[in-house]
């Protein structure tokens, strides 16, 4: 009963994103999650719907301005991350496929990018588990560490939102960390992160072409997931922007979506298994940690020196 009780409790307004995530992890590791197959499916859908709902509380003009302004440093940071990820993987002896999955997850949007890359890269199941486990553990740490660092170095809400979008893996943890920093941080973080997530498409196509050249006539298995929630987010923002009368309803939807995100983080924590923890070896974890620290440090330095605004 702890999983359904925890899910209901996470809908209470005073439960924070961090508390929900920790509660889910504790339940999963101490007593186990008998509904893990269902909660994994529900997590993906719930997160997508929550992101779409957050768009109802935002102005499309601001979303467009922030997204357009962030294109250059998004491209630059993705390129740097993939380059560093390749170097770290070779230095630490991490397999090419696992290293690329961790690098792509760090560069774009964590587990979603890894899931999109699996059909075209065709890694072994163990390598997928390692990459997802590494990203999950670092995401859990980021949810607590980033707000503390942001306050310590004196980042305002806008810059913290930008930093979290550039340096935290998954959309859920980006939004969760920004939610602790305030509405402005949430708006910037969500917009920049979703604009960044669009790069799943060209990167997946590029890796598919590279893999085809290496593997001959072998075709990718299955189809990559399309990040439809990005279009939904934009559509909701457009609706409340162009029809001002819907703004009060939009704010209610956005508020409900923020609480749904807390539930999502509880389920994400509850999805963790002991097998997943054991599967993350020291080398892939060191690779993911080194890459994450480098990208977080570089992006924070760029923001601090006003190279990125």
């Amino acid at each position: 009963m702890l999983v359904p009780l925890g899910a209901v409790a996470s809908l209470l307004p005073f439960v924070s994103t961090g508390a929900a995530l920790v509660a889910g992890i504790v339940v999963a590791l101490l007593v186990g999650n008998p509904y893990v197959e269902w909660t994994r499916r529900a997590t993906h859908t719930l997160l997508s719907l929550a992101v779409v709902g957050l768009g109802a509380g935002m102005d499309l003009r601001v979303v467009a301005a922030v997204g357009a302004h962030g294109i250059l440093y998004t491209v630059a940071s993705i390129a740097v991350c993939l380059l560093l990820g390749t170097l770290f993987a070779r230095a630490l002896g991490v397999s090419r496929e696992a290293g690329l999955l961790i690098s792509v997850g760090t560069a774009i949007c964590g587990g979603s990018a890894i899931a999109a890359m699996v059909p075209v890269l065709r890694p072994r199941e163990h390598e997928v588990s390692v990459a997802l486990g590494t990203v999950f553990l670092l995401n859990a740490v980021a949810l607590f560490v980033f707000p503390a660092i942001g306050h310590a170095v004196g980042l305002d809400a806008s810059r913290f939102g930008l930093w979290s979008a550039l340096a935290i893996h998954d959309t859920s943890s980006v939004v969760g960390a920004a939610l602790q920093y305030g509405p402005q941080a949430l708006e910037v973080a969500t917009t920049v992160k979703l604009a960044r997530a669009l790069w799943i498409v060209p990167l997946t196509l590029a890796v598919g072409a590279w893999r085809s050249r290496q593997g001959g006539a072998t075709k990718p298995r299955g189809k990559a997931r399309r990040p439809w929630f990005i279009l939904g987010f934009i559509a909701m923002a457009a609706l409340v922007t162009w029809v001002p009368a819907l703004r009060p309803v939009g704010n209610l939807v956005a508020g409900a979506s923020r609480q749904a995100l807390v539930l999502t983080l509880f389920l994400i924590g509850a999805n963790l298994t002991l097998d997943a923890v054991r599967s993350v070896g020291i080398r892939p974890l060191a690779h993911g940690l080194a890459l994450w620290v480098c990208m977080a440090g570089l992006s924070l330095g760029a923001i601090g020196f006003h190279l990125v605004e």
Side-chain angles (χ1 to χ4, degrees), residues 262-285:
V262 180
L263 170 59
T264 303
L265 285 165
F266 171 79
L267 295 179
I268 288 174
N271 290 339
L272 185 64
T273 63
L274 288 173
D275 288 339
V277 174
R278 295 189 191 102
S279 72
V280 181
I282 188 64
R283 289 186 180 183
L285 184 58

Side-chain angles (χ1 to χ4, degrees), residues 55 89 96 135 156 276:
R96 182 179 62 183
V135 166
D156 60 25

Side-chain angles (χ1 to χ4, degrees), residues 35 53 61 72 74 120 123 141 148 159 162 169 175 200 238 295 300:
Y35 315 105
R61 292 162 293 191
L72 290 179
T74 294
V120 296
V141 173
R159 290 186 178 180
L162 176 58
H169 303 76
V175 178
I200 293 176
M295 294 308 300
L300 181 59

Side-chain angles (χ1 to χ4, degrees), residues 59-74:
D59 190 316
L60 183 62
R61 292 162 293 191
V62 175
V63 170
V66 173
H69 186 63
I71 288 178
L72 290 179
Y73 52 74
T74 294

Side-chain angles (χ1 to χ4, degrees), residues 188-286:
V188 173
T190 305
T191 303
V192 174
K193 190 63 178 179
L194 294 184
R196 192 180 187 85
L198 289 172
W199 287 89
I200 293 176
V201 177
L203 189 58
T204 301
L205 293 175
V207 171
W210 167 72
R211 184 73 180 187
S212 296
R213 286 197 299 269
Q214 288 199 332
T218 303
K219 294 182 179 180
R221 296 178 309 205
K223 295 182 179 179
R225 292 178 179 175
R226 293 178 174 84
W228 61 266
F229 58 89
I230 300 174
L231 295 178
F233 173 87
I234 295 173
M236 291 294 284
L239 187 62
V240 297
T241 300
W242 294 334
V243 187
L246 295 177
R247 175 65 67 177
V249 177
N251 289 334
L252 291 176
V253 172
S257 298
R258 286 191 289 269
Q259 204 59 46
L261 177 69
V262 180
L263 170 59
T264 303
L265 285 165
F266 171 79
L267 295 179
I268 288 174
N271 290 339
L272 185 64
T273 63
L274 288 173
D275 288 339
V277 174
R278 295 189 191 102
S279 72
V280 181
I282 188 64
R283 289 186 180 183
L285 184 58

Side-chain angles (χ1 to χ4, degrees), residues 36 130 158 172 186 200:
V36 67
V130 164
S158 179
S172 57
L186 178 63
I200 293 176

Side-chain angles (χ1 to χ4, degrees), residues 44-232:
H44 178 74
T45 302
L46 191 59
L47 174 60
S48 299
L49 291 175
V51 170
V52 171
L54 288 175
M58 298 187 182
D59 190 316
L60 183 62
R61 292 162 293 191
V62 175
V63 170
V66 173
H69 186 63
I71 288 178
L72 290 179
Y73 52 74
T74 294
V75 173
S77 63
I78 290 175
V80 170
C81 185
L82 293 178
L83 175 60
L84 288 177
T86 301
L87 296 176
F88 287 152
R90 290 178 179 174
L92 292 168
V94 177
S95 70
R96 182 179 62 183
E97 283 75 14
L100 182 57
L101 288 174
I102 293 172
S103 299
V104 169
T106 304
I108 302 181
C109 57
S112 298
I114 292 172
M117 195 62 60
V118 168
V120 296
L121 189 60
R122 300 189 300 278
R124 290 172 292 184
E125 185 175 347
H126 173 74
E127 292 170 324
V128 178
S129 298
V130 164
L132 289 172
T134 299
V135 166
F136 180 92
L137 294 175
L138 296 179
N139 265 308
V141 173
L143 195 63
F144 300 98
V145 170
F146 269 60
I149 294 177
H151 287 299
V153 301
L155 292 179
D156 60 25
S158 179
R159 290 186 178 180
F160 178 80
L162 176 58
W163 181 46
S164 61
L166 293 176
I168 300 179
H169 303 76
D170 274 334
T171 303
S172 57
S173 290
V174 170
V175 178
L179 195 59
Q180 302 176 52
Y181 225 83
Q184 186 179 1
L186 178 63
E187 184 170 345
V188 173
T190 305
T191 303
V192 174
K193 190 63 178 179
L194 294 184
R196 192 180 187 85
L198 289 172
W199 287 89
I200 293 176
V201 177
L203 189 58
T204 301
L205 293 175
V207 171
W210 167 72
R211 184 73 180 187
S212 296
R213 286 197 299 269
Q214 288 199 332
T218 303
K219 294 182 179 180
R221 296 178 309 205
K223 295 182 179 179
R225 292 178 179 175
R226 293 178 174 84
W228 61 266
F229 58 89
I230 300 174
L231 295 178

